[in-house]
Amino acid sequence: MSENPDKPNINEAGKSKSNDSEQDLEDAVKGSDAALQKTVKSGSPSTQRVQRPHSSPPRFVTVEELLETAKGVTNMALAHEIVVNGDFRIKPVELPEDSLEKRVKEIVHKAFWDCLSVQLSEDPPTYDHAIKLVGEIKETLLSFLLPGHTRLRNQITEVLDLDLIKQEAENGALDISKLAEFIIGMMGTLCAPARDEEVKKLKDIKEIVPLFRAIFSVLDLMKVDMANFAITSIRPHLMQQSVEYERKKFQQVLEKQPNSLDFVTQWLEEAAEDLLNQKYKSALPAGGGAAGSGDGPTPNPVAVQNYAYLKLLRWDHLRRPFPETVLMDQARFQELQLQLEHLTILGAVLLVTFSMAAPGISSQADFAEKLKMIVKILLTDTHLPSFHLKDALTTIGEKVCLEVSSCLALCGLTPFTMEKEAVLKGQIQAVASPDDPIRRIMDSRILIFLESYLASGHQKPLPTVPGGLGPVQKELEEVAIKFVRLVNYNKMVFSPYYDAILSKILVRS
């Protein structure tokens, strides 16, 4: 099937006009807006629990304005998701088991297919429902075609001519099986290679009603494939315009809700104040523009912004509102925060282990990688509410001591004494406390690395990893790349707002 010269492929579709792709995307994502809104809302718990400070008096808005604003936010969130998330895909809608909506859908569908079965069982058969289904299938197949697929368009139009099919039905000459055979063949031509097997299975279904049900099921999957293909096609074009688009949409929201920058202002004010007071000097790097005291130089806007983004990696998401301009990425910042906490604990465990182990085994790359993998696996569920770090570290301590003892024996080195094992286990268990000195050192060095990478302007090579972070360098660099990409994109979109706010804050400083 995939050898057919008329079968659409990435290269052929990539040549289509951008406005066609945009229309495809607009049509494709209509059904996903609600799901995306739910994702954005679920990742933004702070918007419903904290009283907003009012920098300007509230004004009354009409229902129409609210609906327009909501639509603008949804469109902005969707465009942002497509650009920022390279793995963004539309997925088939799956209703929850035992849900009322699913039960209603099943009842309605059963009634429809039962009606079709009764009509086809009559003597002579009645094809009213069947012809309507063929009409729907025809429109769906035509929607999959690109402008250049003239021959395929003519074939579908000619074979699935509803007027002709109705005449054949009235004269008792309609061969519904032959129509189904053509439809399946055309689906095989138009489907993505991943659907070839599912289309092939349709040929094994001999009864008309089950066959039509299966055809519609596969067509639904093909619609999702086409939507995702449209997203892939439009992403380069959307990337070029997304900065202006998001800024424009946010400005529209701001005009209707003037206090939509209150949390951003608080966030930047705190960052500037922290830099001035060097309140967190031991934990977060102040950057080149930080002041040592109130009489020192005023921190520059870039240093304040970088510091502010670093603060998002220590955000109390349950108690504090998230800044409005990064609200769509709150879930991503939460994920980065969890990854960094995981790396901090992992790095601290490996640091204390290699510090106590003989230099002969800590320098062995295979052993170091094996030990890291073991600890990572035992820390896999760190993000789950049911996870207990102390219990996990107790298990890790036991496993680490076994691995170290085994490696010492293989290398012919002096084995660990009971006292030394007890000390190592105790140091590993101590990492459970955020105030543990080793954990604090690892946390501080990780933030120093992220600040250095952020200040470097995303230039390669990456900054040198601070001492002690060598065992987790690969994982740390992966997180750093995600973090800096996210920050730089956010800066491009919202820098005019940040600059305007900081110009007032830094003057007061």
Side-chain angles (χ1 to χ4, degrees):
M1 284 181 283
S2 59
E3 296 175 359
N4 191 311
D6 286 313
K7 188 164 186 174
N9 54 58
I10 292 294
N11 293 331
E12 184 176 359
K15 297 176 184 177
S16 62
K17 296 179 181 179
S18 61
N19 59 345
D20 292 333
S21 297
E22 291 175 8
Q23 183 61 46
D24 289 340
L25 176 65
E26 184 178 346
D27 294 338
V29 300
K30 283 181 179 178
S32 67
D33 279 358
L36 184 60
Q37 274 187 308
K38 183 177 179 182
T39 301
V40 173
K41 289 178 181 177
S42 64
S44 311
S46 57
T47 56
Q48 299 178 357
R49 60 175 176 271
V50 180
Q51 291 185 348
R52 300 180 61 89
H54 294 287
S55 58
S56 57
R59 73 179 184 88
F60 294 104
V61 294
T62 65
V63 174
E64 289 76 13
E65 286 178 313
L66 287 174
L67 291 174
E68 183 183 348
T69 302
K71 182 179 179 181
V73 171
T74 300
N75 292 339
M76 181 173 64
L78 181 59
H80 182 87
E81 188 72 18
I82 292 172
V83 171
V84 174
N85 183 5
D87 297 324
F88 176 78
R89 296 290 184 274
I90 294 175
K91 298 179 181 179
V93 177
E94 295 183 3
L95 299 176
E97 290 293 334
D98 300 326
S99 66
L100 177 61
E101 187 177 359
K102 184 170 185 178
R103 289 201 299 272
V104 170
K105 181 180 178 180
E106 289 174 348
I107 291 170
V108 172
H109 280 208
K110 185 178 185 302
F112 175 84
W113 294 112
D114 287 347
C115 180
L116 176 64
S117 181
V118 169
Q119 285 193 348
L120 295 179
S121 300
E122 293 176 357
D123 188 16
T126 303
Y127 291 105
D128 293 347
H129 272 39
I131 293 174
K132 289 180 181 178
L133 291 179
V134 171
E136 290 183 28
I137 293 171
K138 175 183 177 181
E139 294 304 315
T140 301
L141 292 176
L142 290 174
S143 72
F144 294 152
L145 299 180
L146 296 172
H149 293 149
T150 306
R151 188 173 68 82
L152 292 176
R153 189 181 305 277
N154 291 338
Q155 278 186 317
I156 294 172
T157 304
E158 180 181 342
V159 177
L160 301 183
D161 184 335
L162 296 186
D163 291 334
L164 179 60
I165 291 173
K166 288 177 182 177
Q167 290 178 13
E168 291 177 345
E170 291 171 356
N171 296 321
L174 178 61
D175 188 346
I176 197 75
S177 299
K178 188 175 180 180
L179 286 179
E181 183 180 346
F182 170 80
I183 289 168
I184 294 172
M186 192 58 65
M187 289 170 66
T189 299
L190 297 175
C191 73
R195 303 296 176 197
D196 283 347
E197 192 63 30
E198 289 166 294
V199 173
K200 185 178 178 181
K201 291 178 181 179
L202 296 175
K203 298 178 181 179
D204 299 329
I205 304 175
K206 304 304 179 184
E207 296 183 20
I208 295 300
V209 175
L211 176 57
F212 269 88
R213 293 191 70 164
I215 285 174
F216 273 91
S217 178
V218 177
L219 284 175
D220 285 341
L221 296 176
M222 290 175 62
K223 289 177 184 178
V224 174
D225 294 338
M226 182 57 69
N228 287 322
F229 175 72
I231 288 171
T232 302
S233 302
I234 198 177
R235 184 175 279 118
H237 306 288
L238 189 59
M239 179 72 78
Q240 298 169 6
Q241 305 172 21
S242 60
V243 171
E244 291 79 7
Y245 176 76
E246 285 194 40
R247 191 182 298 159
K248 176 184 176 182
K249 289 296 181 182
F250 186 82
Q251 181 62 36
Q252 292 173 357
V253 173
L254 191 60
E255 289 171 359
K256 292 180 172 60
Q257 300 292 331
N259 60 348
S260 294
L261 282 172
D262 287 350
F263 295 148
V264 170
T265 303
Q266 286 184 347
W267 170 49
L268 295 176
E269 283 177 343
E270 288 182 14
E273 183 180 352
D274 290 347
L275 280 179
L276 285 169
N277 299 331
Q278 293 200 342
K279 189 173 182 179
Y280 302 117
K281 182 178 180 181
S282 62
L284 289 175
S293 65
D295 298 328
T298 300
N300 65 62
V302 174
V304 175
Q305 287 186 49
N306 289 349
Y307 191 96
Y309 283 112
L310 288 171
K311 287 173 68 67
L312 296 180
L313 298 175
R314 288 186 165 181
W315 204 261
D316 186 348
H317 295 272
L318 294 177
R319 295 180 178 83
R320 294 201 59 191
F322 213 61
E324 294 91 343
T325 52
V326 284
L327 195 57
M328 287 188 295
D329 289 317
Q330 183 172 11
R332 290 189 179 88
F333 277 103
Q334 285 178 292
E335 179 63 26
L336 289 173
Q337 187 173 352
L338 290 172
Q339 290 178 9
L340 290 175
E341 289 176 2
H342 183 277
L343 281 181
T344 299
I345 296 168
L346 174 62
V349 170
L350 295 177
L351 182 61
V352 298
T353 301
F354 293 141
S355 297
M356 291 196 63
I361 67 168
S362 59
S363 60
Q364 292 185 16
D366 291 343
F367 173 75
E369 193 62 30
K370 178 184 178 182
L371 196 63
K372 181 174 75 171
M373 187 58 61
I374 291 172
V375 178
K376 282 179 69 174
I377 291 173
L378 294 173
L379 290 174
T380 300
D381 298 331
T382 308
H383 62 287
L384 298 178
S386 59
F387 182 81
H388 296 289
L389 183 56
K390 286 186 178 180
D391 295 341
L393 289 173
T394 299
T395 304
I396 288 171
E398 297 286 346
K399 186 63 176 174
V400 165
C401 286
L402 285 174
E403 293 295 330
V404 170
S405 297
S406 175
C407 189
L408 287 172
L410 288 174
C411 295
L413 300 173
T414 305
F416 263 5
T417 62
M418 296 291 291
E419 292 78 9
K420 206 168 185 180
E421 277 196 11
V423 172
L424 178 56
K425 290 177 183 177
Q427 288 186 353
I428 290 175
Q429 290 172 0
V431 173
S433 171
D435 295 323
D436 175 65
I438 301 298
R439 180 169 169 177
R440 287 175 63 85
I441 289 173
M442 298 301 291
D443 186 48
S444 175
R445 290 178 181 177
I446 285 174
L447 288 172
I448 288 172
F449 174 76
L450 292 176
E451 192 276 341
S452 300
Y453 189 21
L454 199 55
S456 69
H458 206 174
Q459 296 178 353
K460 292 186 177 181
L462 295 174
T464 303
V465 174
L469 295 175
V472 295
Q473 177 174 346
K474 179 183 176 182
E475 292 83 357
L476 179 57
E477 288 179 348
E478 290 175 354
V479 173
I481 290 171
K482 292 179 185 178
F483 173 66
V484 174
R485 252 186 216 153
L486 203 57
V487 169
N488 286 343
Y489 182 78
N490 186 268
K491 281 183 176 180
M492 284 192 292
V493 176
F494 296 107
S495 57
Y497 301 102
Y498 298 153
D499 292 341
I501 293 170
L502 287 172
S503 65
K504 298 176 182 178
I505 293 174
L506 298 180
V507 166
R508 295 199 303 263
S509 302

